[in-house]
Amino acid sequence: MKTCYTFYKRFRTCQTGGRGGAIVLKDKYLELLAKEYDSEEKVITELINLKAVQNLPKGTEHFVSDLHGEYQAFQHVLRNGSGKVREKISDLYKGILSEQELNEFATLIYYPEEKMQRIKNSFDRREDLELWYEVMIERMIKLISYASSKYTRSKLRKALPEPFVYIVEELLYKTEDFANKESYYNKIVQQLISLNQADQLLIGLSYTTQRLVVDHLHVVGDIYDRGPEPDKIMETLMDYHSLDIQWGNHDVLWIGAYAGSQVCLANIIRICARYNNLDIIEDMYGINLRPLMTLAEKYYDDNVPFRPKIQSGYQPSEDEIVQISKIHQAIAMIQFKLESPIIKRRPYFNMDERLLLEKVDYERQEITLEGTTYPLENTCFATIDPENPSRLLPEEQEVIDKLLFSVQHSEKLARHMKFLMKKGSLYLKYNGNLLIHGCIPIDEDGNMEEMKIENQTYAGRELLDQFEKFLRQAFANPNTIDDLATDMVWYLWTGEHSSLFGKRAMTTFERYFISDKTTHKEKKNPYYYLREDEEICRKILKEFDMNPDQGHIINGHTPVKEIEGENPIKANGKMVVIDGGFSKAYQPKTGIAGYTLLYNSYGMQLVAHQHFNSKEEVLRDGTDVLSVKRLVDKELERKKVMETNVGQEIQEDIDNLKQLLKDRYLK
Ligand SMILES: O=P(O)(O)OC[C@H]1O[C@](O)(COP(=O)(O)O)[C@@H](O)[C@@H]1O
Ligand SMILES: [Mn+2]
């Protein structure tokens, strides 16, 4: 069914003709379908199957955002399904097993390889270990049977560890005459143990459990920047069974760099230098930083505000810190210079006030902003010609050209960026909810804010669609580096009407060089306070043709300051902001270590995560750093697959199969 369906969809999107064309396509599709379903029985069986799936409870959706390179913490949340694994274990075994046993079992499922090793080391006698295997296999099978109760057998089969599918199915589908077969099942388990397969089986079943508790993952933006391992997050996502991504401003910065935007590229390197993560660029993505280092050594000295923020983990030496400070200055100055020509050639970006290098009085080391003059501190203007401050030195130009070449030839980065494009979008309408990283630009009265691009004016959904079109165009043409599409990717990072940024201006320059903190403030779009208002959220949902009675808006991007009493659930539950601070750098602001959202057939739940220190700690202490749950919404009736996006696709399949039945078989 899938092949034909995708084929037909592709056909439909290519279709340009009128209704006549559509009919021809439909006929062609039915012809294809008839090849796959070449008998009346096959059509009927599939119809029964699809109808049954429609009536199953909807699968669990899991929402995360603002991962910011925090791979370990993200892994933990994925592995424990934001507490779902522990919840299922408790449903089955609370009161039967002790707290410690429940924790141990949960930890085994989260980190099976490591936990298994620890447990095995704790046994002196083989018999005890074998007994443990038997008990665990039985518990695990029971748990899987329970966790898969709302899935079809075929879906469960796909989630089972491949080498053991047949055996596990035997164990799972024990019928009532179990008593007669008891010795048969025991024999299977004992055989597995004696053939040294128990470890592999338990590891496989642990991953099956993780997979079963979450049906679909939404990543509501900002995978990249600040934290140390975004590349590993990408690899994890690429292996994940079902997901979508809503790009964050940091993600489009990386996409922009790959798509040829030199200013985006300067930004990603600057941020990596700032957070002591240059090895992501060099070692993880194989981008050669040598030319930049040489330039940095030539023109810059140690400069304290440009020293990297050091978090836990690798501690650089004093020499390295000084070297990073120089690189940081070199790339920051290249970035500021590169901004200028874009601002000048795109007047409708309305960013003239950001032509800061041109406002500086280089003699007096001062700058005048909105009528006030500020002294500049810790400046590093060695490569600046005061007559033409935005002009790159030939050697700076050479550095950024070489960096771009290197970025565009990184095989790993290419894979990651293509995946981001394939699975990502600027916003997503999914099962009645609107998912978007940042905001919908609105004015103080809650009207959609307009932006003029060339000679056309756009607002609301149309504006976002336009942004996405530009982004895709820039990505498709990586060799064109100064066209509107490529400039627009940078605008998405920093422009006032960008749905990913949504602040008047990014005050990076001020934060480096001006001590008066009033200049650091980034004025937010009214969206960020009006979203507390239910009516505004309803209006936005309507703008996207969504049902405001049913839908929610789900945002990331702005850390929710729980510590100051901010509530992530806003507008009478219509708005949920899930940026709780996976990013270690932001945890002191939020007071927690991230939010995630779960949406199953019973409703939505927000989970607040407490600090995640390390996998080692979980393994050692067996405890889970979990999580307060708050009910966002409760469905009056259990939601079924037929009410979801997937359900709609299945309905189309059903309609087509019925048509086939009528046209070809019931004549
Ligand atoms: O904390 P840093 O690294 O100085 O970054 C601050 C910058 O990051 C931003 O907050 C954007 O990043 P977020 O999307 O993570 O909020 C800018 O508005 C701001 O200028
Ligand atoms: Mn963001």
Side-chain angles (χ1 to χ4, degrees):
M1 192 73 197
K2 262 265 150 350
T3 14
C4 288
Y5 180 69
T6 335
F7 185 74
Y8 175 51
K9 266 194 166 166
R10 218 172 35 230
F11 250 165
R12 271 194 318 193
T13 36
C14 300
Q15 162 199 339
T16 47
R19 271 179 56 75
I23 291 166
V24 173
L25 283 177
K26 182 98 185 170
D27 280 351
K28 275 218 171 299
Y29 173 65
L30 286 182
E31 237 169 67
L32 278 171
L33 208 56
K35 280 193 189 144
E36 206 165 324
Y37 296 92
D38 54 6
S39 71
E40 190 175 342
E41 290 71 35
K42 280 191 189 164
V43 179
I44 288 172
T45 311
E46 183 65 1
L47 273 171
I48 293 172
N49 181 22
L50 292 176
K51 259 293 177 232
V53 173
Q54 288 280 52
N55 282 291
L56 289 172
K58 96 182 248 310
T60 301
E61 292 168 62
H62 194 190
F63 301 72
V64 299
S65 87
D66 297 271
L67 303 170
H68 283 301
E70 295 297 340
Y71 167 75
Q72 297 287 349
F74 173 57
Q75 273 288 313
H76 192 62
V77 162
L78 264 197
R79 285 167 183 254
N80 73 14
S82 282
K84 275 282 152 200
V85 169
R86 184 64 163 74
E87 190 181 294
K88 300 262 180 221
I89 293 176
S90 292
D91 288 351
L92 284 181
Y93 291 110
K94 201 164 177 97
I96 300 172
L97 300 178
S98 70
E99 270 307 299
Q100 193 193 337
E101 283 171 316
L102 292 173
N103 283 340
E104 293 248 308
F105 189 28
T107 317
L108 176 67
I109 292 171
Y110 307 157
Y111 301 108
E113 292 89 348
E114 293 91 339
K115 186 69 188 174
M116 187 94 70
Q117 205 47 54
R118 279 174 183 248
I119 289 174
K120 281 169 74 175
N121 292 343
S122 72
F123 288 115
D124 294 331
R125 298 177 338 141
R126 173 82 195 169
E127 300 90 289
D128 295 337
L129 176 63
E130 289 189 359
L131 197 60
W132 180 83
Y133 280 140
E134 277 181 34
V135 173
M136 283 302 146
I137 292 172
E138 196 194 327
R139 271 185 208 163
M140 202 78 98
I141 293 283
K142 211 166 149 192
L143 183 64
I144 284 179
S145 166
Y146 176 58
S148 65
S149 59
K150 65 178 177 184
Y151 297 133
T152 58
R153 280 191 184 194
S154 110
K155 187 158 179 165
L156 170 59
R157 189 172 305 132
K158 286 189 194 126
L160 291 175
E162 225 183 288
F164 302 108
V165 171
Y166 171 74
I167 288 170
V168 176
E169 284 192 332
E170 280 293 291
L171 296 173
L172 273 168
Y173 305 124
K174 294 175 191 170
T175 48
E176 302 75 60
D177 60 353
F178 175 59
N180 297 335
K181 287 199 180 167
E182 193 172 353
S183 63
Y184 167 67
Y185 295 121
N186 290 344
K187 235 333 31 59
I188 294 181
V189 172
Q190 279 153 15
Q191 274 297 305
L192 278 165
I193 296 170
S194 66
L195 291 169
N196 288 329
Q197 297 299 304
D199 285 13
Q200 283 321 309
L201 176 68
L202 284 172
I203 290 169
L205 292 180
S206 297
Y207 287 113
T208 301
T209 311
Q210 291 179 19
R211 178 167 167 176
L212 290 175
V213 296
V214 170
D215 193 40
H216 186 82
L217 176 71
H218 304 285
V219 183
V220 194
D222 278 357
I223 295 163
Y224 279 89
D225 289 335
R226 299 205 178 105
E229 298 177 310
D231 57 310
K232 283 197 181 168
I233 297 182
M234 289 303 295
E235 295 286 330
T236 304
L237 296 179
M238 287 166 87
D239 269 349
Y240 203 73
H241 55 273
S242 176
L243 86 157
D244 51 60
I245 298 167
Q246 293 72 55
W247 302 311
N249 46 338
H250 290 272
D251 306 323
V252 298
L253 207 50
W254 283 73
I255 295 175
Y258 184 76
S261 164
Q262 295 193 331
V263 71
C264 288
L265 169 55
N267 264 289
I268 64 172
I269 297 177
R270 180 183 63 79
I271 296 171
C272 282
R274 179 168 166 76
Y275 284 89
N276 190 29
N277 284 325
L278 283 171
D279 56 342
I280 298 173
I281 302 281
E282 269 206 300
D283 304 339
M284 305 307 148
Y285 286 123
I287 292 156
N288 182 11
L289 286 179
R290 183 111 325 256
L292 177 62
M293 283 179 194
T294 312
L295 179 88
E297 284 298 334
K298 181 168 168 191
Y299 288 100
Y300 301 94
D301 293 320
D302 182 20
N303 192 352
V304 173
F306 287 88
R307 286 182 164 213
K309 288 175 187 261
I310 315 266
Q311 294 162 6
S312 51
Y314 173 70
Q315 301 296 313
S317 68
E318 187 63 16
D319 283 353
E320 281 171 306
I321 290 176
V322 170
Q323 188 188 37
I324 296 169
S325 139
K326 294 177 187 176
I327 294 174
H328 189 174
Q329 294 169 76
I331 198 68
M333 292 317 295
I334 291 178
Q335 177 199 314
F336 294 135
K337 289 184 178 189
L338 286 168
E339 290 173 358
S340 180
I342 306 178
I343 296 172
K344 287 180 185 160
R345 67 177 173 243
R346 310 287 170 210
Y348 42 87
F349 282 9
N350 191 22
M351 290 175 80
D352 280 3
E353 69 183 51
R354 303 306 302 157
L355 290 169
L356 298 173
L357 290 184
E358 288 159 39
K359 293 186 203 291
V360 170
D361 179 334
Y362 288 93
E363 206 135 283
R364 301 170 71 92
Q365 296 279 302
E366 286 174 355
I367 191 165
T368 303
L369 303 172
E370 294 177 26
T372 310
T373 303
Y374 302 92
L376 293 173
E377 292 167 14
N378 308 306
T379 53
C380 46
F381 297 156
T383 68
I384 287 200
D385 168 8
E387 296 303 312
N388 189 357
S390 300
R391 199 174 60 88
L392 289 168
L393 293 182
E395 44 201 315
E396 287 176 314
Q397 186 65 60
E398 195 183 328
V399 163
I400 196 77
D401 288 344
K402 282 189 173 159
L403 281 170
L404 182 60
F405 181 86
S406 199
V407 159
Q408 294 189 327
H409 288 81
S410 159
E411 181 275 330
K412 189 169 174 188
L413 189 64
R415 273 195 303 117
H416 291 178
M417 293 301 111
K418 282 177 189 158
F419 183 75
L420 262 188
M421 293 306 289
K422 186 166 146 213
K423 291 288 175 185
S425 57
L426 210 51
Y427 66 88
L428 183 71
K429 291 162 49 165
Y430 196 95
N431 291 347
N433 300 314
L434 177 63
L435 283 56
I436 172 143
H437 177 70
C439 69
I440 309 297
I442 52 178
D443 65 19
E444 278 155 18
D445 300 321
N447 300 314
M448 301 297 142
E449 224 166 29
E450 291 185 343
M451 180 178 175
K452 201 167 174 193
I453 303 174
E454 310 240 90
N455 292 320
Q456 280 270 54
T457 303
Y458 306 93
R461 184 178 179 182
E462 261 186 20
L463 178 62
L464 268 59
D465 289 340
Q466 205 58 27
F467 284 148
E468 179 156 344
K469 208 182 92 194
F470 280 122
L471 187 93
R472 294 199 182 277
Q473 193 182 322
F475 192 80
N477 300 290
N479 297 328
T480 327
I481 68 171
D482 49 13
D483 60 328
L484 174 58
T486 312
D487 290 349
M488 201 51 110
V489 186
W490 176 66
Y491 185 86
L492 276 173
W493 160 245
T494 191
E496 71 169 315
H497 291 128
S498 157
S499 54
L500 300 183
F501 179 54
K503 300 176 191 167
R504 175 66 193 102
M506 198 175 284
T507 58
T508 315
F509 183 95
E510 290 87 328
R511 278 183 280 117
Y512 284 132
F513 301 123
I514 304 177
S515 61
D516 185 338
K517 284 213 161 55
T518 54
T519 63
H520 301 182
K521 189 130 189 70
E522 297 181 347
K523 188 165 169 257
K524 288 186 177 150
N525 184 278
Y527 174 89
Y528 293 106
Y529 59 86
L530 289 178
R531 69 178 169 187
E532 305 277 346
D533 180 344
E534 185 176 351
E535 271 321 301
I536 297 286
C537 296
R538 288 178 159 270
K539 189 170 170 179
I540 292 172
L541 286 166
K542 278 193 221 146
E543 167 73 19
F544 284 80
D545 288 329
M546 308 184 74
N547 179 351
D549 293 331
Q550 303 257 310
H552 305 81
I553 302 173
I554 294 155
N555 277 172
H557 189 49
T558 45
V560 176
K561 295 175 184 138
E562 176 138 333
I563 210 167
E564 291 173 13
E566 184 180 349
N567 190 348
I569 303 168
K570 301 171 188 297
N572 202 14
K574 286 276 139 223
M575 162 72 63
V576 190
V577 185
I578 59 168
D579 181 3
F582 269 103
S583 173
K584 288 214 178 75
Y586 279 64
Q587 287 174 4
K589 282 193 190 171
T590 61
I592 55 161
Y595 292 114
T596 51
L597 190 69
L598 292 163
Y599 179 26
N600 64 18
S601 57
Y602 294 109
M604 272 187 181
Q605 285 175 314
L606 187 76
V607 184
H609 298 262
Q610 305 310 319
H611 296 275
F612 172 78
N613 288 328
S614 67
K615 169 165 97 179
E616 283 64 38
E617 195 178 294
V618 179
L619 282 163
R620 193 187 55 231
D621 303 340
T623 47
D624 224 343
V625 208
L626 273 176
S627 333
V628 191
K629 286 189 186 173
R630 287 174 220 168
L631 208 59
V632 177
D633 225 351
K634 207 172 159 63
E635 299 292 345
L636 295 175
E637 272 181 55
R638 229 179 148 181
K639 239 192 173 47
K640 292 184 175 164
V641 170
M642 68 172 82
E643 297 162 81
T644 65
N645 281 27
V646 172
Q648 275 165 18
E649 290 187 4
I650 293 178
Q651 190 54 49
E652 279 185 41
D653 292 350
I654 291 176
D655 295 344
N656 286 321
L657 283 170
K658 282 188 176 162
Q659 185 75 36
L660 182 71
L661 199 62
K662 199 167 130 224
D663 287 6
R664 311 276 160 121
Y665 299 113
L666 299 181
K667 274 184 177 165

